[in-house]
């Protein structure tokens, strides 16, 4: 199986879907002549032309709204946000129009549109470019929210998102674009709403998504050397949550730790805790623990940026806490 970078897997998904369906087009800042801020759209302008690979001015609210209109009349826009931090400007069009068109039209209008781009810490880009904002969008009915960690999942989920009849928000870890992994060629679809057990275990479940997946896998491998068997559940989709997969894993291990890059207050992890404790409380042998970003704005300095985010040592400490092991 070919090994691709995360950005190459996304590029492949876009190209395949544009070949399959002439109604699919890509719009965003620098997606055309510059090949994308993170090179996700590399070569697509030459292949599909300027009518389908559209360079937009710096006007997130404008091109998000225009694309929602295009989706209403039968096209399938893919809107690239240079970063989800900038997409805050477009939230009115995303949550007040795209998310509500089907409901407010009594089902007469569809809005098959994908809003995608990088989120999370950018690597010394400070507070305005380093926010993990997925919880903001997962809050709204009418939106689906996905956050793949691996290149294979990035390709499969983007293809599913483009084919979906509803607006889909796709968070791509900003520091994942150069990550490599095996990616199936051709038709590779990952269904929206399905989590994936990336590592089987029996002692505790680590629940995560996007870039934090790699820290969880690092922690699981370290803990295995101490005789602790960790199951790693990659949610992949944040709305709707795969409740069945979460509960099945927790009922198997009886302990859970949730790791997310975003802040703790009103985070995705808080909803997962609520789910576990409302539907699997009798299966728990310890309170559910969370490892989150610290409740501060991100700093420029690399040492401070690292200090504010989850990492393997913090996850290991949380696992030992729910296992009532030393150092907890």
């Amino acid at each position: 199986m070919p090994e691709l970078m995360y950005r190459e897997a996304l590029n492949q998904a876009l190209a395949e879907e544009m070949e399959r369906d002439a109604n699919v087009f890509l719009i965003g800042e620098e997606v055309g002549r510059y090949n994308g801020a993170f090179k996700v759209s590399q070569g697509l302008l030459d292949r599909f032309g300027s009518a389908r690979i559209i360079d937009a001015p710096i006007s997130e609210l404008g091109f998000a709204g225009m694309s929602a209109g295009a989706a209403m009349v039968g096209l399938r826009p893919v809107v690239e946000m240079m970063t989800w931090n900038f997409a805050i400007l477009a939230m009115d069009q995303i949550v007040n129009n795209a998310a509500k068109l089907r409901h407010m039209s009594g089902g007469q209008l569809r809005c098959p549109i994908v809003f995608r781009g990088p989120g999370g810490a950018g690597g010394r880009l400070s507070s305005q470019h380093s926010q993990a904002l997925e919880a903001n969008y997962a809050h709204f009915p009418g939106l689906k929210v996905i956050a793949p960690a691996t290149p294979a999942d990035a390709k499969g989920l983007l293809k599913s998102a483009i084919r979906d009849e509803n607006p889909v928000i796709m968070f791509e870890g900003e520091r994942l674009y150069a990550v490599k992994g095996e990616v199936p060629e051709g038709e590779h679809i990952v269904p929206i709403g399905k989590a994936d057990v990336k590592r089987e275990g029996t002692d505790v479940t680590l629940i995560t998504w996007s870039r934090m997946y790699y820290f969880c896998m690092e922690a699981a491998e370290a803990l295995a050397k101490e005789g602790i068997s960790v199951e790693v559940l990659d949610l992949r989709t944040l709305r709707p949550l795969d409740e069945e997969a979460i509960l099945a894993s927790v009922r198997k291990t009886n302990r859970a730790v949730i790791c997310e890059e975003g802040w703790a207050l009103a985070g995705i992890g808080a909803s997962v805790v609520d789910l576990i404790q409302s539907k699997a409380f009798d299966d728990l042998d310890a309170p559910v623990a969370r490892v989150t970003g610290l409740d501060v704005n991100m700093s420029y300095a690399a040492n401070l940026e690292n200090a504010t985010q989850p990492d393997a040592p913090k996850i290991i400490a949380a696992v030992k806490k729910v296992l009532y092991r030393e150092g907890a």
Side-chain angles (χ1 to χ4, degrees):
M1 192 181 299
E3 191 172 75
L4 299 178
M5 286 191 287
Y6 192 94
R7 64 163 63 93
E8 294 170 330
L10 293 168
N11 178 280
Q12 194 173 90
L14 283 167
E16 289 177 6
E17 291 306 297
M18 292 184 74
E19 288 282 4
R20 188 187 62 81
D21 186 347
N23 289 318
V24 178
F25 71 90
L26 176 68
I27 186 170
E29 297 158 8
E30 300 182 353
V31 299
R33 282 176 290 181
Y34 190 71
N35 287 310
F38 294 90
K39 305 306 177 192
V40 170
S41 55
Q42 183 93 41
L44 297 183
L45 177 63
D46 293 338
R47 190 166 168 182
F48 296 101
S50 59
R52 298 182 67 193
I53 304 295
I54 304 170
D55 276 321
I58 302 174
S59 56
E60 284 80 4
L61 180 66
F63 62 76
M66 186 204 75
S67 299
M72 289 167 57
V73 296
L75 298 179
R76 291 184 173 273
V78 179
V79 182
E80 177 173 306
M81 297 296 179
M82 190 176 286
T83 155
W84 277 105
N85 300 279
F86 300 166
I88 293 170
L89 291 162
M91 280 203 68
D92 182 60
Q93 287 296 340
I94 296 172
V95 307
N96 266 335
N97 285 321
K100 295 175 172 60
L101 282 169
R102 183 187 286 259
H103 171 75
M104 295 187 70
S105 69
Q108 297 180 75
L109 295 175
R110 297 177 298 116
C111 194
I113 185 170
V114 180
F115 298 97
R116 48 155 293 269
R124 302 185 70 182
L125 293 179
S126 194
S127 54
Q128 292 178 327
H129 296 72
S130 297
Q131 301 172 100
L133 298 172
E134 51 264 40
N136 295 44
Y137 296 90
H139 186 64
F140 292 100
L143 297 178
K144 296 182 179 181
V145 181
I146 56 179
T150 66
D153 286 346
K155 176 182 177 180
L157 278 167
L158 179 53
K159 288 171 74 73
S160 290
I162 292 171
R163 299 181 191 188
D164 203 285
E165 296 298 324
N166 301 286
V168 179
I169 308 296
M170 183 168 184
F171 283 88
E172 302 156 4
E174 187 158 333
R175 295 170 77 174
L176 294 181
Y177 285 117
V179 169
K180 284 189 173 181
E182 290 187 338
V183 179
E185 293 181 284
E187 184 77 342
H188 169 61
I189 301 292
V190 174
I192 293 173
K194 291 294 182 184
D196 186 38
V197 176
K198 289 290 200 300
R199 181 189 177 101
E200 295 275 356
T202 57
D203 293 332
V204 59
T205 299
L206 267 177
I207 301 170
T208 191
W209 59 93
S210 195
R211 189 167 72 96
M212 296 299 105
Y213 158 75
Y214 294 94
F215 292 123
C216 288
M217 291 297 282
E218 181 184 346
E221 290 170 14
L223 288 162
K225 296 174 182 173
E226 299 182 36
I228 298 172
S229 175
V230 177
E231 181 149 301
V232 178
L233 181 66
D234 179 6
L235 292 181
R236 304 194 295 194
T237 297
L238 306 177
R239 186 185 180 97
L241 283 172
D242 188 348
E243 295 187 5
E244 184 178 340
I246 295 169
L247 295 173
S249 183
V250 171
R251 285 171 177 148
K252 172 185 173 185
T253 65
N254 308 116
R255 293 176 171 83
V257 174
I258 303 158
C259 178
E260 64 185 300
E261 186 172 356
W263 299 296
L265 183 65
I268 298 288
S271 290
V272 177
V273 171
D274 177 69
L275 168 71
I276 294 170
Q277 299 192 157
S278 62
K279 296 188 176 180
F281 181 79
D282 290 341
D283 296 283
L284 290 174
D285 287 340
V288 179
R290 295 175 66 195
V291 182
T292 69
L294 297 186
D295 192 21
V296 296
N297 289 318
M298 188 68 76
S299 297
Y300 256 124
N303 61 329
L304 294 178
E305 181 181 273
N306 291 337
T308 63
Q309 297 176 88
D311 57 18
K314 293 173 185 173
I315 296 165
I316 289 170
V319 168
K320 289 185 175 179
K321 181 178 180 182
V322 302
L323 287 167
Y324 304 113
R325 296 289 185 96
E326 38 98 15

